[in-house]
Amino acid sequence: MTVSPASIRNIAFVGHPSAGKTTLVDALAHALGASERKGSVADKTSICDTEPEEQEKGHTLQMKTVHAKHGGLLFNLQDTPGYPDFVADALSGIYGSDLVVGVVSASSGVTFNLRKKLELAAELHRGRAIVITHLDDPNADFDALVEKLQAAIGPQCVPFELPDGSASGFHKVTNVLEGGEVEYRRQLMDRVMDGCEDGALLERYLETEKLTDAELHTHLPAAIEKGTLVPILVCNPVSALGLPEILEFFREYAPSPETLPTFKLKDGGAPIPLEPTGELLGVVFNVRSDPHVGKVCLARILRGTLKASDHIEGPRVTGKGEKAGGLFHLVGGKKREPTDAAVAGEIVAFSKVE
């Protein structure tokens, strides 16, 4: 598979504990073909929560990356811990991604934990979206939760998908662009155009309040990347209700490395432009210890191509560089897929490099 930056989807899932992040990633991994069966946190078969302590507690304790290829796209789904004790792993997942998805349980609502993680994503200029889970909870109220999200995070939080009801009335999901609440559709389109820098298109929209499909595919991801839109999606990952619609959203509208042509390393640092053919440059954003291969580094390639045969230089290794013990993609907590190379925009792992 030839990889272009436009075909890559680097997505981190953040939120409060028990919001449904891992269950959602398990469901997406199965739908994308990364796992033969849909894993479950409850029965200890999750593709992400593979450590004994995670299975015992029923919570993610380390960030896990699920790599998958599907329909001509390359996905890197990053499941992050919810507990503040493990916030470093959550922050690294945010740092390495292009889209940060805040997973919100309709039963617990908007928490300080979620709000702070989404604020950090905004500070790093990462695109943001929200997935509401547990909408089948007896006390769930979709419209009330949307109001709370807008009050806590900002008016840029607008539904892209609508449920047909809450609690026992939740049976179907509808795209607001295809029908449903007119006011939400107007809010969504207005937010898309708030990020538009095409004066002629903006003038035409003000007259007609319409955009073509091609214009939406161009300007909706850009609005997410610029922060003028935080789309709200709906899903029950256990039953898979709304899951195909979320996958379709990620496919069609999630920002790619090409949508974000520069990568911000830190406050005050100069953004690094995406250059697929430039000299190799990457950033390690997560390191974990493996009992079999030692230190495993997870890196995002910012420029050029990293090949399995390359020698890697870093702050501690200069001059000749150091040969990696292997170049591979992570598929959850246990599985690895060897690869010959990783291009600009990709997330890849390697071992035995200091």
Side-chain angles (χ1 to χ4, degrees), residues 101-125:
V101 176
V103 181
V104 182
S105 170
S107 60
S108 58
V110 186
T111 64
F112 176 80
N113 186 331
L114 169 80
R115 183 165 59 82
K116 296 305 291 183
K117 289 171 181 174
L118 289 180
E119 285 177 0
L120 176 66
E123 290 172 8
L124 289 171
H125 300 283

Side-chain angles (χ1 to χ4, degrees), residues 7 18 59-60 65 92 104 117 122 138 149 162 193 225 243 278 296 301 304 317 326:
S7 69
S18 301
H59 292 290
T60 302
T65 299
S92 65
V104 182
K117 289 171 181 174
L149 285 165
L162 294 174
M193 295 312 297
E225 182 267 316
L243 191 72
V296 175
I301 308 303
V317 182

Side-chain angles (χ1 to χ4, degrees), residues 279-298:
E279 183 181 2
L280 175 63
L281 179 66
V283 57
V284 173
F285 63 89
N286 186 266
V287 180
R288 57 186 294 187
S289 179
D290 186 281
H292 302 292
V293 299
K295 187 181 294 183
V296 175
C297 298
L298 194 62

Side-chain angles (χ1 to χ4, degrees), residues 258-276:
E258 191 172 78
T259 311
L260 185 69
T262 59
F263 189 88
K264 184 177 181 181
L265 288 176
K266 60 182 179 180
D267 288 336
I272 298 173
L274 181 75
E275 296 180 11

